[in-house]
Amino acid sequence: MPTEFALASTGVASVDEIRFDNRFTASLPADPDIANNRRQVVGACFSRVLPASAPEPVLLAHSAEVADLLGFAPELVADPRFAAVVAGSTALDGMDPHAHCYGGHQFGSWAGQLGDGRAIALGEIVDVAGQHQVLQLKGAGPTPYSRTADGLAVLRSSVREFLCSEAMAHLGVPTTRALSLVGTGGMVMRDMLYDGHPELEPGAVVCRVAPSFVRFGNFEIFASRGDVETLRTLADFVIESDFEHLAGEPTPQRYVQFFDEVVRRTADMVCEWLRVGFVHGVMNTDNMSILGLTIDYGPYGWLDDYDPDWTPNTTDAAHRRYRFGTQPQVAQWNLMQLANALYPLAGEADGLQAALDGYVPYFEKKWSTMMAAKLGLPELGAEVDRELASGVLAVLRLVETDMTVFWRRLATVDTAEGVDPHERISPLAEAYYRPEEVTDEHRSATSDFIEGYAARLRALGIADVSRAETMNQVNPKYVLRNYLAQLAIDSATAGRPEAIGELLDVMRRPYDGQPGRESYAALRPDWARARVGCSQLSCSS
């Protein structure tokens, strides 16, 4: 480790200087079959596989922050060979490309073996803080887990994954990161809406970065097969690598403590999703990070108008299992599946059940703290404060109201005594999508809430200036609205990939005013209301 850390801290200036320290593949059982053919993989945590070579890799965008984290100097990123490396076309000494073996529950049903069907990890490097980071390519070709797919990805989905990974990080939401987005120079056939109309689309590869890409499903697959030995080996590795404070003798209690921490990390993550209006779209257990990181940005979306029943995923349109408002409950269900997988290691159910039972009170406490901050309140300790928290969500649903704009405008409401009630609610009008549909009844209900809110703030002695500062630190002005991502995709497809970097630059400071960039904070335009890619998305990538 000292050698890799020294290189990172001084800045890696050439691809030849990148050093790998691959703990995952060195510590866990490998698939003995090195052929890249689809198959059931038994008794192994991963299969070694080489990425497909991209015809003409071109760097379309990169994250300067992730490059800095990895100790990559600007001249390294500017090197033409860098694009070839992060596209999977050039192998470096020390790389150990591989794909994970895992299973998962998809839309509530056990799906058996799934695995990394279009993701190939190149290996691990040590970042500038001394932490291991996995470099994983999404869209770099088939693996033994690709089933009937080709393992490739297209530009539109790759732009969305790259941008959202970084936008979430800048919002302060736990997430995997994205180092780079590379156009492969090849074309990929995709049926975007699974409606029998496939088209050729530009191919792309995203280099994702995280301390670990282990998912709930990594544990589920071995438990489902009764392979307790491999299950234990994996759990011990994950604990010792990523939960070092729990390292020690592999006792049943240690696995319970491990699960308890995963419960809390998962609750933290989902609470942050609700804070910023994010809908993951496909919360299958194979898309749940063991580290509590948002992972796998597929058919995700952001709430424009506040609708807890909305999901962007066309595959989930009928049942809306993964809609915005049910994400906390789905996370709890997924944690139950993880508890079932860990049961053979814990030896008894009581400890795991106690940890699982702790999810709801822990989440509710986090949610309460989060909502208090969004409202500019110190806490939701009194009944009047809790009523305000439920009341503001009711107001958001009265008419079609933009969630992000509403919260920012709420911070500007004048709470001084004696202000005309109609004048007091006037800033909120900017959040309405259909102002002409706002009735006197709607205005009256909104005014009742705002008058109670203002009275409570006055009673607590909270000044408007300090309240606005507090609220604007947790209520973003800029989020990666679905239509903004689509506009960047359209520009990149038309030959102007600079639009991706321009949008990323706005998302770097989501809580700041950023004068001159107000258009990025505007309400969703009418043309985006029903356009595919803005309001409807599929898992096709």
Side-chain angles (χ1 to χ4, degrees):
M1 184 182 297
T3 301
E4 288 80 7
F5 182 73
L7 283 168
S9 63
T10 56
V12 179
S14 166
V15 295
D16 300 316
E17 297 177 6
I18 298 175
R19 298 291 181 266
F20 291 85
D21 185 17
N22 302 313
R23 300 179 303 176
F24 188 91
T25 54
S27 305
L28 295 171
D31 178 3
D33 188 346
I34 60 172
N36 190 2
N37 59 279
R38 281 67 160 179
R39 60 184 180 274
Q40 290 292 303
V41 175
V42 179
C45 292
F46 65 94
S47 301
R48 288 187 166 91
V49 59
L50 294 175
S53 182
E56 297 180 18
V58 176
L59 183 65
L60 302 178
H62 82 283
S63 166
E65 293 83 0
V66 177
D68 288 344
L69 172 68
L70 299 175
F72 289 177
E75 53 266 38
L76 167 62
V77 178
D79 187 333
R81 294 180 297 169
F82 176 75
V85 170
V86 293
S89 296
T90 297
L92 300 178
D93 290 343
M95 279 184 180
D96 197 358
H98 61 280
H100 283 207
C101 177
Y102 51 80
H105 283 82
Q106 298 194 326
F107 298 95
S109 299
W110 176 244
Q113 177 180 294
L114 298 167
D116 284 334
R118 59 169 173 257
I120 298 175
L122 298 178
E124 301 167 61
I125 68 174
V126 180
D127 67 22
V128 295
Q131 183 176 24
H132 280 72
Q133 300 285 350
V134 181
L135 304 187
Q136 186 193 71
L137 306 184
K138 185 171 182 177
T143 77
Y145 309 100
S146 296
R147 290 167 285 173
T148 60
D150 57 20
L152 303 175
V154 297
L155 181 62
R156 58 177 164 81
S157 64
S158 301
V159 169
R160 286 170 48 81
E161 173 121 22
F162 172 78
L163 284 172
C164 201
S165 300
E166 292 306 286
M168 292 283 270
H170 292 298
L171 284 164
V173 180
T175 180
T176 56
R177 303 296 298 270
L179 169 63
S180 58
L181 170 66
V182 172
T184 64
M187 301 296 286
V188 180
M189 183 68 73
R190 284 293 181 268
D191 187 351
M192 183 165 63
L193 292 179
Y194 304 123
D195 61 357
H197 296 87
E199 295 181 2
L200 285 171
E201 301 184 47
V205 175
V206 175
C207 181
R208 309 195 294 189
V209 178
S212 171
F213 283 93
V214 172
R215 307 139 186 272
F216 290 9
N218 288 74
F219 299 89
E220 288 184 281
I221 189 64
F222 301 119
S224 73
R225 292 169 170 172
D227 186 354
V228 178
E229 179 181 356
T230 307
L231 174 66
R232 188 184 308 277
T233 300
L234 174 65
D236 290 344
F237 170 79
V238 169
I239 291 170
E240 290 162 12
S241 299
D242 298 299
F243 296 79
E244 297 94 335
H245 55 289
L246 299 178
E249 289 298 315
T251 62
Q253 182 58 29
R254 185 172 79 153
Y255 301 117
V256 172
Q257 292 172 334
F258 164 58
F259 177 66
D260 182 65
E261 183 154 336
V262 176
V263 167
R264 287 182 277 114
R265 290 191 186 194
T266 302
D268 290 342
M269 174 188 70
V270 175
C271 193
E272 289 296 292
W273 292 357
L274 300 190
R275 176 176 66 85
V276 299
F278 176 77
V279 192
H280 185 278
V282 59
M283 289 178 67
N284 298 327
T285 58
D286 56 294
N287 294 334
M288 298 291 292
S289 161
I290 204 68
L291 299 184
L293 303 175
T294 314
I295 191 172
D296 287 342
Y297 291 98
Y300 69 83
W302 297 80
L303 290 186
D304 289 313
D305 55 298
Y306 181 77
D307 179 3
D309 292 327
W310 182 72
T311 177
N313 188 354
T314 55
T315 308
D316 196 25
H319 302 290
R320 300 179 184 270
R321 175 182 176 86
Y322 298 142
R323 61 193 182 273
F324 177 76
T326 61
Q327 291 179 124
Q329 293 86 350
V330 171
Q332 183 183 26
W333 190 90
N334 289 345
L335 285 163
M336 181 173 67
Q337 309 316 311
L338 178 61
N340 290 336
L342 294 175
Y343 173 76
L345 306 182
E348 50 85 25
D350 291 348
L352 293 170
Q353 186 63 56
L356 186 61
D357 289 345
Y359 173 84
V360 170
Y362 181 84
F363 179 85
E364 289 179 344
K365 183 176 180 180
K366 294 290 294 189
W367 184 89
S368 177
T369 300
M370 178 268 289
M371 284 299 294
K374 288 181 75 68
L375 286 163
L377 298 171
E379 60 179 349
L380 300 185
E383 181 63 26
V384 63
D385 301 322
R386 292 189 288 274
E387 289 176 354
L388 287 173
S390 59
V392 71
L393 298 180
V395 166
L396 275 164
R397 299 193 73 176
L398 288 173
V399 292
E400 192 177 11
T401 304
D402 190 274
M403 173 180 170
T404 304
V405 173
F406 176 89
W407 282 109
R408 291 292 286 204
R409 299 309 294 161
L410 184 63
T412 70
V413 165
D414 186 346
T415 64
E417 195 164 7
V419 174
D420 179 76
H422 293 292
E423 182 66 25
R424 203 191 302 276
I425 66 172
S426 61
L428 303 180
E430 295 181 22
Y432 298 145
Y433 278 97
R434 295 280 190 261
E436 69 279 5
E437 296 179 0
V438 179
T439 66
D440 289 341
E441 183 181 356
H442 295 145
R443 293 188 187 91
S444 177
T446 301
S447 182
D448 288 346
F449 165 75
I450 292 296
E451 289 302 310
Y453 176 55
R456 180 57 174 163
L457 291 167
R458 291 196 300 270
L460 292 172
I462 299 175
D464 282 347
V465 173
S466 61
R467 173 179 63 91
E469 291 177 354
T470 299
M471 293 174 67
N472 288 342
Q473 290 173 4
V474 296
N475 296 319
K477 179 176 181 178
Y478 301 95
V479 296
L480 188 65
R481 293 176 181 270
N482 313 313
Y483 84 88
L484 292 176
Q486 186 59 49
L487 287 175
I489 293 167
D490 291 345
S491 294
T493 303
R496 203 179 78 82
E498 296 83 6
I500 302 168
E502 292 165 3
L503 181 53
L504 174 58
D505 196 46
V506 175
M507 297 301 138
R508 284 191 166 100
R509 296 185 291 128
Y511 302 99
D512 295 349
Q514 301 194 56
R517 289 175 161 176
E518 287 81 4
S519 62
Y520 290 95
L523 300 180
R524 175 200 60 222
D526 278 345
W527 62 260
R529 182 177 290 271
R531 180 181 169 182
V532 174
C534 299
S535 61
Q536 304 173 62
L537 298 149
S538 75
C539 296
S540 172
S541 64

